[in-house]
Amino acid sequence: MADDFPTQARAVIIGGGIVGCSLAYHLTRLGWRDVVLLEQGRLSSGTTWHAAGLVGQLRSHANMTRLIRYSTELYAALEAGTGLATGWKQCGSITVARTAERMTQLRRTASTARAQGVEIEVLTPAQAGEKWPIMRTGDLAGAVWLPGDGKANPTDLTQALARGARARGARIFEQTRVAGIRLKDGAVSMVETNRGTVACDVVAICAGQWSREIGRMCGVTIPLHSAEHMYIVTERIDGVHPDLPVMRDPDGYIYFKEEVGGLVMGGFEPDAKPWGMDGIPADFEFQLLPDDWDQFEILMKNALERVPALETAAIKTFLNGPESFTPDNNFILGEAPETRNVFVAAGFNSMGIASAGGAGRALAEWIVGGEPSFDLWPVDIRRFARFNGNRVWLRDRVKEVLGLHYAMPWPNHELTTARPFRRSPLFDRLAAKGAVFGSKMGWERPNWFAPPGIERRTGYSFGRQNWFAHVAEEHRACREGVALFDMTSFAKFLMQGPDSEQVLQTLCANDVSVPAGRSVYTPMLNERGGFESDLTVARLAPDCFLILTGTAQATRDAHWIRGHIPGSARAVLTDVTSGYAVIGVMGPRSRELLGRVTHAALDQADFPFGTVREIGIGYATVWASRRSYMGELGWELYVPSEFAVTVYETLAEAGGDLGVRDAGYYAIESLRLEKGHRAWGRELTPDDNPWEAGLGFAVQLDKKGGFIGREALAAARGRPLTRRLVSFLATAPDTPAAWGGELVTANGDPIGGITSAAYGYTLGGVVALGWVRSAGEPIDPAWLAERRFALDVAGEPVPVRARVCRHLTGGDSGATVFLIHSRSAFRKADRWGVMG
């Protein structure tokens, strides 16, 4: 009845698919009773009802695996709690390899699984055939078996979650279309529907492929685009039974699961078919798109090769249902950065059933607690910017993204569609010099430079890739001479106003109350003491600070900072990223090069580490900061964009006889890992604190006024470190390449995982950073010395030496002085001495 429709609610959830119902279920479990869910059609009628229902638990990021493992636990228990069957069956899954390279990838997957505590077994082709008898195995190189995987009925799961939510007070309204969302003072205040208006404190957009348009109603960018996704369902096939595992054949782009004695077979073709360019009809309810056997042909061909029984099996149904995909193949979760109290869970890239249980719980915790309870960066909506919502760009990108599901996950793999996107002022100059570009936050960035006569492309492999020798030269130029780096993609903000210092002191763990002309490296922490970011704050004037942070963190850091500026504060944050290019001048001869093009005094006395000041470079005036992520003497030049080419050409011309060389981001990676410099999002996350990360020097517990996270850090200080960031080195000549994600063992037992790895050209071996844990003993140099460490690289144990990450303040190694302190250290017999 219309009289029953509410006029107010604490939270309004838009969308009645499995994700929206999971959020309602978990909000009510956390004690929120006044929850209203609005569905424009009927529950599960959008994408959920035609999902294949596969639940594969393993992901490359440990917390994403954690979400899905929670989903499996929830689905297994949901029937007992709600009285409704969910169709959940833990049947396990097999992934097969047709090629040696795919088998290498599966062995690497097994290493990652063990690092995350996921049960997995590497199988021979014969063993795979025993678990899946109706497939052809003669062409296989092997397989992996994950017994914890399973399958479920998406519609039944949705109904069970909805019943559980209703039982705790949630109200669900079907056939209720959202017409608008009203805002007040930058926050959501009201949802308008065809049945009335609901005042609310929180809105959660869980509307599947309609989410982008719902977001536009309240100024929120939700970058997703629909694509057609097809599968067939066969009649009964001999040998197919309810306990048959899910089977994936990524080299054929296909998957299989049992259904009523037959098979569901679908896949992810490498060139997808976007849909809904002109918008998604609101009444697209329990509907499908026309069959497209031409588009499906590549999947059918590969399926017939794998399962010959399909040649004679009757096809009962061809389903072509659109689903929404994001630009990077990860779903979207979290608080929208543009509008307060708007949360999003959408764009699940055909992984909605597996992810829904954990995603609903995580977003409910975020809504109730004000911030996520653990690191969700891989799916955080703030990894995107407003420009990522461009429809033309999304359409072109989604054609590639759908195929990523089963594409080979090569190290350093770059997407190729919808590029170039954002370009530095130096783009053309660097392209002319052989730059091979990668993309981050839309920026075209030089990964490495191909010398004349060398093809300008990255040749992907799990071993040493085709750029290895060329990056070695870039690396050595920085260590031994001088190199130029285009670092324009750094996110840059100005914090201005009389209260700027006070705001930053609250946000930053280090003391940024420094004189104008000084810069400070500092973490920004959450209340748990974990890293929300790590960045550099440079004081340009008494009421003006320049903030430099990571490329990918621009939206996230701006949202965090603005969210902690009190309404009464006289301080404003401005994104000036596009206004300044950044040129890194790095290496022991950097002072000599800069001295040729400026009249500024650059010696240690006049320009010590951490100094930032305006200097002239040829005809241009720039901000120069003595700071280095590469661990050598160096300066970062913050150059107004219109002067960037002038400054670059001046430096390149002046450094000809010094051997000045252009260098890219692959060199930065090897340089920073030799020094043990951390990267936010890999070594540093919201789950890690500075004591564990070895960054205690950047924390000032006793500074006046305190800071966010101080209480948690003070409580943790002095406790034994049973989890700690450690640096590893492998110098055996035949050491295989490591790329991150590898299992770390001590005396053969799993104790952690690698977050970053590269080849250290100066040290002559693989260098890596990773987190390790003990059974309760303090992890210190003595603990490390008592154990034999190894990395599991695609099933091969690689012996490594381990060192606790330690630091000194100051110096030209930047905030981190680790592993190597000077070129003379390289000449020692043991070139891997810990400094500090």
Side-chain angles (χ1 to χ4, degrees):
M1 295 175 59
D3 293 342
D4 296 329
F5 192 74
T7 58
Q8 61 182 30
R10 191 172 189 184
V12 171
I13 300 169
I14 302 172
I18 189 171
V19 175
C21 290
S22 177
L23 176 57
Y25 176 87
H26 287 95
L27 279 175
T28 58
R29 285 190 64 175
L30 291 176
W32 281 35
R33 300 290 182 259
D34 191 10
V35 174
V36 169
L37 186 149
L38 308 176
E39 164 56 42
Q40 67 179 358
R42 287 166 286 174
L43 294 185
S44 80
S45 65
T47 298
T48 298
W49 75 275
H50 61 72
L54 311 185
V55 182
Q57 59 188 312
L58 183 63
R59 296 293 182 266
S60 60
H61 189 279
N63 280 351
M64 298 303 100
T65 300
R66 176 180 174 184
L67 285 185
I68 297 175
R69 294 183 78 177
Y70 170 76
S71 291
T72 65
E73 295 166 2
L74 173 67
Y75 300 164
L78 204 54
E79 182 173 354
T82 65
L84 289 181
T86 63
W88 165 251
K89 189 172 189 62
Q90 186 177 316
C91 57
S93 77
I94 293 173
T95 301
V96 302
R98 298 189 183 204
T99 66
E101 287 179 324
R102 178 68 70 175
M103 197 61 220
T104 296
Q105 182 252 315
L106 293 184
R107 291 192 180 99
R108 292 180 59 84
T109 295
S111 176
T112 299
R114 292 172 185 134
Q116 297 181 18
V118 175
E119 187 178 356
I120 193 169
E121 182 182 353
V122 178
L123 304 178
T124 65
Q127 290 170 325
E130 291 172 3
K131 291 188 179 294
W132 230 83
I134 64 168
M135 74 169 163
R136 189 169 67 90
T137 61
D139 63 335
L140 296 182
V144 292
W145 161 246
L146 286 104
D149 286 359
K151 58 186 179 180
N153 184 300
T155 299
D156 291 349
L157 272 176
T158 303
Q159 294 294 341
L161 290 165
R163 176 177 285 189
R166 286 190 185 103
R168 294 187 181 90
R171 290 172 290 171
I172 296 175
F173 296 89
E174 298 178 293
Q175 303 295 328
T176 305
R177 187 170 302 161
V178 172
I181 300 175
R182 298 183 197 173
L183 309 180
K184 182 178 180 180
D185 299 328
V188 68
S189 65
M190 203 168 288
V191 176
E192 300 171 342
T193 80
N194 61 327
R195 299 179 64 178
T197 301
V198 186
C200 57
D201 300 323
V202 168
V203 165
I205 301 174
C206 307
Q209 56 193 341
W210 290 270
S211 294
R212 187 179 69 194
E213 295 307 315
I214 297 292
R216 289 166 64 91
M217 294 179 181
C218 52
V220 171
T221 301
I222 305 176
L224 52 80
H225 201 292
S226 293
E228 299 186 20
H229 183 212
M230 308 167 201
Y231 64 85
I232 61 171
V233 184
T234 75
E235 297 286 1
R236 291 183 177 274
I237 297 175
D238 289 343
V240 175
H241 53 83
D243 293 324
L244 190 71
V246 171
M247 192 265 280
R248 297 177 177 88
D249 179 2
D251 293 312
Y253 321 119
I254 50 178
Y255 61 78
F256 301 83
K257 79 160 188 173
E258 180 275 341
E259 185 167 300
V260 197
L263 288 176
V264 170
M265 185 283 287
F268 300 94
E269 62 272 29
D271 188 14
K273 187 178 179 183
W275 180 77
M277 278 72 75
D278 298 322
I280 313 299
D283 59 356
F284 194 82
E285 178 184 347
F286 290 120
Q287 292 186 48
L288 295 171
L289 302 175
D291 298 356
D292 189 340
W293 284 99
D294 289 338
Q295 181 73 12
F296 198 70
E297 180 182 10
I298 186 172
L299 305 182
M300 195 70 206
K301 175 179 178 294
N302 288 329
L304 290 168
E305 292 175 357
R306 182 61 47 229
V307 183
L310 286 176
E311 293 181 5
T312 56
I315 296 176
K316 182 166 56 176
T317 310
F318 186 112
L319 286 93
N320 182 6
E323 298 188 27
S324 54
F325 294 82
T326 65
D328 63 358
N329 204 37
N330 280 325
F331 60 87
I332 295 172
L333 197 73
E335 184 177 7
E338 302 99 330
T339 305
R340 294 198 311 279
N341 298 334
V342 174
F343 293 79
V344 179
F348 279 82
N349 303 274
S350 284
M351 295 182 288
I353 307 307
S355 305
R361 176 180 174 177
L363 191 60
E365 291 175 347
W366 197 332
I367 291 170
V368 172
E371 62 184 47
S373 58
F374 57 92
D375 177 27
L376 293 170
W377 175 238
V379 296
D380 194 322
I381 189 173
R382 295 171 296 176
R383 71 190 188 274
F384 296 119
R386 291 188 69 84
F387 53 71
N388 290 117
N390 179 283
R391 292 188 181 191
V392 177
W393 183 83
L394 284 168
R395 179 201 63 206
D396 290 351
R397 173 55 58 89
V398 81
K399 288 173 62 65
E400 181 180 14
V401 167
L402 183 144
L404 295 179
H405 279 266
Y406 288 162
M408 191 75 79
W410 297 115
N412 299 318
H413 180 258
E414 296 281 354
L415 299 181
T416 59
T417 51
R419 291 178 57 192
F421 196 26
R422 305 172 77 185
R423 305 186 215 189
S424 140
L426 303 182
F427 177 86
D428 289 342
R429 295 299 193 279
L430 300 180
K433 296 175 103 174
V436 180
F437 292 95
S439 177
K440 193 166 189 177
M441 197 56 164
W443 285 102
E444 297 292 329
R445 311 193 311 172
N447 283 336
W448 61 285
F449 287 81
I454 300 298
E455 185 179 6
R456 296 185 187 183
R457 70 170 188 88
T458 296
Y460 297 123
S461 75
F462 290 108
R464 293 182 178 178
Q465 298 182 353
N466 64 324
W467 44 261
F468 184 85
H470 310 303
V471 172
E473 295 303 312
E474 298 171 25
H475 179 110
R476 293 188 185 105
C478 183
R479 285 279 184 254
E480 300 170 9
V482 59
L484 301 180
F485 298 85
D486 181 9
M487 304 162 74
T488 298
S489 66
F490 274 173
K492 315 164 198 77
F493 304 98
L494 285 179
M495 176 72 86
Q496 296 169 286
D499 295 330
S500 294
E501 179 185 303
Q502 180 181 339
V503 170
L504 287 172
Q505 285 287 72
T506 300
L507 281 162
C508 298
N510 210 342
D511 188 351
V512 299
S513 179
V514 295
R518 297 292 299 170
S519 66
V520 177
Y521 168 79
T522 179
M524 290 195 305
L525 307 174
N526 54 40
E527 294 290 357
R528 296 178 285 126
F531 288 88
E532 287 298 319
S533 187
D534 75 318
L535 42 77
T536 298
V537 176
R539 190 166 205 160
L540 306 183
D543 61 352
C544 181
F545 295 81
L546 176 64
I547 300 171
L548 278 296
T549 187
T551 301
Q553 296 148 244
T555 304
R556 188 183 196 280
D557 284 3
H559 178 248
W560 181 261
I561 294 170
R562 289 189 178 114
H564 290 88
I565 299 176
S568 60
R570 297 168 297 166
V572 63
L573 186 77
T574 306
D575 188 335
V576 295
T577 299
S578 298
Y580 290 87
V582 180
I583 300 174
V585 185
M586 303 292 166
R589 304 192 76 175
S590 57
R591 180 181 282 120
E592 184 178 356
L593 172 57
L594 284 174
R596 295 180 177 186
V597 296
T598 184
H599 294 293
L602 302 172
D603 57 279
Q604 175 65 25
D606 289 314
F607 212 125
F609 178 82
T611 298
V612 57
R613 67 172 59 133
E614 276 193 316
I615 67 172
I617 300 286
Y619 297 142
T621 302
V622 308
W623 287 100
S625 175
R626 188 165 153 203
R627 187 165 292 280
S628 170
Y629 193 45
M630 295 69 156
E632 292 293 337
L633 176 69
W635 279 260
E636 292 174 359
L637 306 179
Y638 313 136
V639 186
S641 292
E642 65 270 30
F643 290 107
V645 171
T646 296
V647 171
Y648 172 78
E649 291 177 340
T650 300
L651 291 166
E653 182 178 350
D657 63 319
L658 299 178
V660 65
R661 190 181 187 108
D662 294 291
Y665 274 82
Y666 290 172
I668 291 175
E669 186 75 349
S670 63
L671 289 161
R672 70 106 177 168
L673 285 173
E674 282 191 334
K675 291 285 187 173
H677 289 194
R678 287 75 161 135
W680 190 88
R682 286 190 274 176
E683 287 73 52
L684 309 177
T685 79
D687 299 335
D688 311 313
N689 74 47
W691 312 138
E692 298 167 328
L695 290 173
F697 83 94
V699 174
Q700 299 296 324
L701 283 178
D702 58 351
K703 74 173 181 177
K704 184 178 179 181
F707 56 88
I708 297 170
R710 182 193 178 282
E711 289 72 19
L713 284 192
R717 188 176 190 179
R719 292 177 186 166
L721 293 173
T722 59
R723 179 178 178 274
R724 198 161 186 180
L725 190 65
V726 172
S727 190
F728 300 94
L729 174 67
T731 55
D734 57 349
T735 298
W739 300 100
E742 293 82 7
L743 171 70
V744 179
T745 63
N747 300 336
D749 298 322
I751 63 160
I754 295 301
T755 51
S756 299
Y759 190 85
Y761 298 95
T762 308
L763 297 176
V766 171
V767 287
L769 291 172
W771 287 93
V772 301
R773 57 188 178 275
S774 72
E777 313 94 322
I779 299 174
D780 55 23
W783 186 90
L784 295 175
E786 293 168 358
R787 288 160 174 81
R788 291 175 289 104
F789 291 91
L791 309 185
D792 180 335
V793 181
E796 179 181 343
V798 175
V800 290
R801 285 180 282 168
R803 298 289 187 273
V804 169
C805 294
R806 294 182 177 180
H807 298 81
L808 294 174
T809 57
D812 288 304
S813 292
T816 312
V817 179
F818 182 63
L819 297 182
I820 47 180
H821 185 58
S822 66
R823 284 177 292 159
S824 62
F826 302 153
R827 305 187 189 100
K828 297 179 181 179
D830 182 356
R831 299 185 298 175
W832 202 47
V834 176
M835 308 304 298

mmCIF file of all heavy atoms in Angstrom, residues 5 63 146 179 184 234 285 331 333 352 391 403 443 453 552 610 628 653 707 717 809:
data_model
loop_
_atom_site.group_PDB
_atom_site.id
_atom_site.type_symbol
_atom_site.label_atom_id
_atom_site.label_comp_id
_atom_site.label_asym_id
_atom_site.label_seq_id
_atom_site.Cartn_x
_atom_site.Cartn_y
_atom_site.Cartn_z
ATOM 1 N N PHE A 5 4.706 3.329 2.350
ATOM 2 C CA PHE A 5 5.990 3.799 1.819
ATOM 3 C C PHE A 5 6.580 4.835 2.773
ATOM 4 O O PHE A 5 5.899 5.783 3.178
ATOM 5 C CB PHE A 5 5.806 4.399 0.429
ATOM 6 C CG PHE A 5 7.114 4.628 -0.279
ATOM 7 C CD1 PHE A 5 7.833 3.559 -0.797
ATOM 8 C CD2 PHE A 5 7.628 5.908 -0.415
ATOM 9 C CE1 PHE A 5 9.035 3.761 -1.445
ATOM 10 C CE2 PHE A 5 8.833 6.128 -1.061
ATOM 11 C CZ PHE A 5 9.547 5.050 -1.582
ATOM 12 N N ASN A 63 43.299 -9.058 0.557
ATOM 13 C CA ASN A 63 42.015 -8.643 1.118
ATOM 14 C C ASN A 63 40.853 -8.904 0.170
ATOM 15 O O ASN A 63 39.712 -9.077 0.612
ATOM 16 C CB ASN A 63 42.060 -7.162 1.519
ATOM 17 C CG ASN A 63 42.745 -6.966 2.844
ATOM 18 O OD1 ASN A 63 43.042 -7.922 3.560
ATOM 19 N ND2 ASN A 63 43.009 -5.721 3.206
ATOM 20 N N LEU A 146 41.526 -25.971 -6.627
ATOM 21 C CA LEU A 146 41.171 -25.200 -5.437
ATOM 22 C C LEU A 146 39.910 -25.814 -4.830
ATOM 23 O O LEU A 146 38.797 -25.551 -5.296
ATOM 24 C CB LEU A 146 40.931 -23.732 -5.779
ATOM 25 C CG LEU A 146 42.206 -22.940 -6.084
ATOM 26 C CD1 LEU A 146 42.332 -22.716 -7.578
ATOM 27 C CD2 LEU A 146 42.220 -21.619 -5.347
ATOM 28 N N ALA A 179 13.901 8.733 -9.116
ATOM 29 C CA ALA A 179 13.804 9.810 -10.103
ATOM 30 C C ALA A 179 14.809 10.930 -9.867
ATOM 31 O O ALA A 179 15.093 11.716 -10.770
ATOM 32 C CB ALA A 179 12.391 10.389 -10.095
ATOM 33 N N LYS A 184 22.087 18.643 0.216
ATOM 34 C CA LYS A 184 22.067 19.820 1.070
ATOM 35 C C LYS A 184 23.460 19.995 1.657
ATOM 36 O O LYS A 184 23.990 19.091 2.291
ATOM 37 C CB LYS A 184 21.034 19.671 2.190
ATOM 38 C CG LYS A 184 20.931 20.908 3.086
ATOM 39 C CD LYS A 184 19.859 20.732 4.155
ATOM 40 C CE LYS A 184 19.760 21.969 5.034
ATOM 41 N NZ LYS A 184 18.728 21.810 6.079
ATOM 42 N N THR A 234 23.363 -26.667 -21.648
ATOM 43 C CA THR A 234 23.067 -27.863 -22.424
ATOM 44 C C THR A 234 22.056 -28.757 -21.696
ATOM 45 O O THR A 234 21.796 -28.600 -20.502
ATOM 46 C CB THR A 234 24.338 -28.695 -22.676
ATOM 47 O OG1 THR A 234 24.710 -29.375 -21.463
ATOM 48 C CG2 THR A 234 25.484 -27.816 -23.146
ATOM 49 N N GLU A 285 13.994 -5.611 -17.410
ATOM 50 C CA GLU A 285 13.772 -6.460 -16.238
ATOM 51 C C GLU A 285 13.617 -7.910 -16.682
ATOM 52 O O GLU A 285 12.760 -8.218 -17.507
ATOM 53 C CB GLU A 285 12.498 -5.990 -15.509
ATOM 54 C CG GLU A 285 12.123 -6.820 -14.306
ATOM 55 C CD GLU A 285 10.793 -6.341 -13.713
ATOM 56 O OE1 GLU A 285 10.339 -5.234 -14.090
ATOM 57 O OE2 GLU A 285 10.223 -7.071 -12.893
ATOM 58 N N PHE A 331 35.950 -4.230 -9.209
ATOM 59 C CA PHE A 331 34.678 -3.574 -8.950
ATOM 60 C C PHE A 331 34.875 -2.269 -8.184
ATOM 61 O O PHE A 331 35.998 -1.886 -7.844
ATOM 62 C CB PHE A 331 33.699 -4.521 -8.243
ATOM 63 C CG PHE A 331 34.140 -5.073 -6.905
ATOM 64 C CD1 PHE A 331 33.905 -4.379 -5.732
ATOM 65 C CD2 PHE A 331 34.740 -6.326 -6.812
ATOM 66 C CE1 PHE A 331 34.267 -4.895 -4.508
ATOM 67 C CE2 PHE A 331 35.105 -6.866 -5.582
ATOM 68 C CZ PHE A 331 34.884 -6.153 -4.428
ATOM 69 N N LEU A 333 33.795 0.176 -4.993
ATOM 70 C CA LEU A 333 33.257 0.121 -3.642
ATOM 71 C C LEU A 333 33.708 1.361 -2.878
ATOM 72 O O LEU A 333 34.823 1.843 -3.075
ATOM 73 C CB LEU A 333 33.780 -1.134 -2.930
ATOM 74 C CG LEU A 333 33.041 -1.600 -1.672
ATOM 75 C CD1 LEU A 333 31.698 -2.219 -2.052
ATOM 76 C CD2 LEU A 333 33.878 -2.626 -0.910
ATOM 77 N N GLY A 352 30.218 -10.603 -9.455
ATOM 78 C CA GLY A 352 29.311 -10.128 -8.425
ATOM 79 C C GLY A 352 28.849 -11.190 -7.461
ATOM 80 O O GLY A 352 28.706 -10.926 -6.265
ATOM 81 N N ARG A 391 32.004 8.750 -21.458
ATOM 82 C CA ARG A 391 31.327 7.599 -22.068
ATOM 83 C C ARG A 391 32.096 7.019 -23.243
ATOM 84 O O ARG A 391 32.151 5.801 -23.426
ATOM 85 C CB ARG A 391 29.924 7.999 -22.524
ATOM 86 C CG ARG A 391 28.971 8.311 -21.392
ATOM 87 C CD ARG A 391 27.561 8.512 -21.916
ATOM 88 N NE ARG A 391 26.630 8.840 -20.832
ATOM 89 C CZ ARG A 391 25.320 8.849 -20.975
ATOM 90 N NH1 ARG A 391 24.790 8.573 -22.146
ATOM 91 N NH2 ARG A 391 24.537 9.160 -19.956
ATOM 92 N N GLY A 403 37.878 -9.016 -21.707
ATOM 93 C CA GLY A 403 38.826 -10.066 -22.049
ATOM 94 C C GLY A 403 39.934 -10.265 -21.041
ATOM 95 O O GLY A 403 40.660 -11.270 -21.093
ATOM 96 N N TRP A 443 47.701 8.909 -17.002
ATOM 97 C CA TRP A 443 48.921 9.561 -17.479
ATOM 98 C C TRP A 443 49.750 8.602 -18.327
ATOM 99 O O TRP A 443 49.981 7.451 -17.944
ATOM 100 C CB TRP A 443 49.781 10.034 -16.317
ATOM 101 C CG TRP A 443 49.294 11.241 -15.606
ATOM 102 C CD1 TRP A 443 48.636 11.288 -14.410
ATOM 103 C CD2 TRP A 443 49.437 12.604 -16.024
ATOM 104 N NE1 TRP A 443 48.352 12.579 -14.072
ATOM 105 C CE2 TRP A 443 48.831 13.414 -15.035
ATOM 106 C CE3 TRP A 443 50.017 13.207 -17.148
ATOM 107 C CZ2 TRP A 443 48.791 14.802 -15.133
ATOM 108 C CZ3 TRP A 443 49.979 14.596 -17.239
ATOM 109 C CH2 TRP A 443 49.372 15.376 -16.241
ATOM 110 N N GLY A 453 66.954 1.458 -33.232
ATOM 111 C CA GLY A 453 67.006 0.127 -33.814
ATOM 112 C C GLY A 453 66.301 -0.934 -32.995
ATOM 113 O O GLY A 453 66.143 -2.071 -33.456
ATOM 114 N N ALA A 552 48.467 7.539 -8.406
ATOM 115 C CA ALA A 552 47.168 6.869 -8.305
ATOM 116 C C ALA A 552 46.315 7.411 -7.172
ATOM 117 O O ALA A 552 45.120 7.128 -7.107
ATOM 118 C CB ALA A 552 47.374 5.365 -8.116
ATOM 119 N N GLY A 610 66.065 18.189 1.869
ATOM 120 C CA GLY A 610 64.783 18.657 2.357
ATOM 121 C C GLY A 610 64.488 20.103 2.032
ATOM 122 O O GLY A 610 63.367 20.567 2.262
ATOM 123 N N SER A 628 64.924 12.604 -3.061
ATOM 124 C CA SER A 628 65.113 11.559 -4.061
ATOM 125 C C SER A 628 64.464 10.265 -3.621
ATOM 126 O O SER A 628 64.705 9.784 -2.524
ATOM 127 C CB SER A 628 66.611 11.322 -4.298
ATOM 128 O OG SER A 628 66.811 10.172 -5.089
ATOM 129 N N GLU A 653 70.612 19.564 -22.972
ATOM 130 C CA GLU A 653 71.722 20.157 -23.721
ATOM 131 C C GLU A 653 72.936 20.364 -22.833
ATOM 132 O O GLU A 653 74.072 20.090 -23.242
ATOM 133 C CB GLU A 653 71.275 21.488 -24.329
ATOM 134 C CG GLU A 653 72.343 22.159 -25.172
ATOM 135 C CD GLU A 653 71.861 23.456 -25.797
ATOM 136 O OE1 GLU A 653 70.648 23.737 -25.720
ATOM 137 O OE2 GLU A 653 72.694 24.188 -26.354
ATOM 138 N N PHE A 707 47.735 14.048 16.414
ATOM 139 C CA PHE A 707 47.390 13.812 15.013
ATOM 140 C C PHE A 707 46.513 12.570 14.940
ATOM 141 O O PHE A 707 46.441 11.771 15.876
ATOM 142 C CB PHE A 707 48.648 13.634 14.156
ATOM 143 C CG PHE A 707 49.574 12.540 14.636
ATOM 144 C CD1 PHE A 707 49.427 11.223 14.216
ATOM 145 C CD2 PHE A 707 50.599 12.831 15.526
ATOM 146 C CE1 PHE A 707 50.261 10.224 14.653
ATOM 147 C CE2 PHE A 707 51.449 11.830 15.980
ATOM 148 C CZ PHE A 707 51.287 10.523 15.546
ATOM 149 N N ARG A 717 53.463 1.310 20.394
ATOM 150 C CA ARG A 717 54.902 1.550 20.516
ATOM 151 C C ARG A 717 55.483 0.683 21.629
ATOM 152 O O ARG A 717 54.950 0.610 22.731
ATOM 153 C CB ARG A 717 55.175 3.016 20.814
ATOM 154 C CG ARG A 717 56.655 3.376 20.754
ATOM 155 C CD ARG A 717 56.864 4.854 20.970
ATOM 156 N NE ARG A 717 58.231 5.237 20.679
ATOM 157 C CZ ARG A 717 58.703 6.478 20.770
ATOM 158 N NH1 ARG A 717 57.892 7.464 21.155
ATOM 159 N NH2 ARG A 717 59.950 6.742 20.479
ATOM 160 N N THR A 809 67.247 9.453 9.275
ATOM 161 C CA THR A 809 66.628 10.674 8.768
ATOM 162 C C THR A 809 67.672 11.469 8.003
ATOM 163 O O THR A 809 68.865 11.394 8.282
ATOM 164 C CB THR A 809 66.090 11.530 9.925
ATOM 165 O OG1 THR A 809 67.160 11.815 10.827
ATOM 166 C CG2 THR A 809 65.006 10.783 10.672
#
